[in-house]
Amino acid sequence: MVMSQLLAIDYGTKRVGLAISDPQQKISSPLKTVPLKLAIENIQQISQDYQIETIILGIPKQKNGQYSEIINQIKEFEVTLNTVLPTVRIIHHEERYTSKMAQRIVLESGLKKQKRKNKSLLDKISASILLESYIESVEQSI
């Protein structure tokens, strides 16, 4: 059974990391990182190109379970997304530690130091980890 692809968003105050699933919603792949000011138009285009019906939006929590201070900016971003993509469902998913996991993946990848410092690489890998986590949580609940 072919479903629509999922789009994951790792929101940041400067850049937004994006990842996409395969049509069966089993595999997550980093897609791209865009400057925050271009994020909405990029997400609109991706949603059209891939017929996205569901967006997974990363919600960061602190160790104590409280939302991170960035939550209000994420909520404003979500309101804008709902306005420009009213038929797309947005699902919140915990994104704690995705950045640390992305750093470890990049470090272990053997990339040269200059490439490892590339924050946009970390952002799209973080989005892919977020999406992978969501896909696993859905599979476990079946």
Side-chain angles (χ1 to χ4, degrees), residues 85-135:
L85 297 170
T87 61
V88 176
R89 182 172 68 147
I90 298 176
I91 296 174
H92 295 171
H93 191 72
E94 164 71 62
E95 71 160 34
R96 193 180 334 169
Y97 306 122
T98 57
S99 293
K100 284 191 182 359
M101 292 165 71
Q103 286 174 333
R104 189 170 46 230
I105 288 169
V106 170
L107 188 62
E108 293 172 357
S109 71
L111 288 173
K112 297 207 181 306
K113 190 174 186 177
Q114 195 60 38
K115 288 222 186 224
R116 289 196 313 252
K117 288 183 178 179
N118 181 347
K119 290 190 182 342
S120 68
L121 177 61
L122 291 175
D123 292 335
K124 66 183 177 183
I125 291 173
S126 292
S128 186
I129 292 167
L130 167 71
L131 184 52
E132 196 174 297
S133 170
Y134 172 78
I135 290 169

Side-chain angles (χ1 to χ4, degrees), residues 7-12 14-18 31-49 52 55 57 73-86 88 90:
L7 179 67
I9 301 173
D10 179 44
Y11 179 91
K14 295 179 183 163
R15 291 172 310 279
V16 174
L18 303 172
L31 186 60
K32 64 188 196 173
T33 300
V34 295
L36 178 59
K37 63 181 182 271
L38 301 176
I40 296 293
E41 68 185 61
N42 270 268
I43 292 166
Q44 278 183 289
Q45 189 61 54
I46 291 165
S47 295
Q48 287 176 347
D49 293 348
I52 301 295
I55 290 175
L57 181 60
Q73 291 166 279
I74 293 172
K75 286 180 178 179
E76 288 175 25
F77 184 77
E78 182 178 7
V79 167
T80 305
L81 275 178
N82 277 319
T83 302
V84 299
L85 297 170
V88 176
I90 298 176

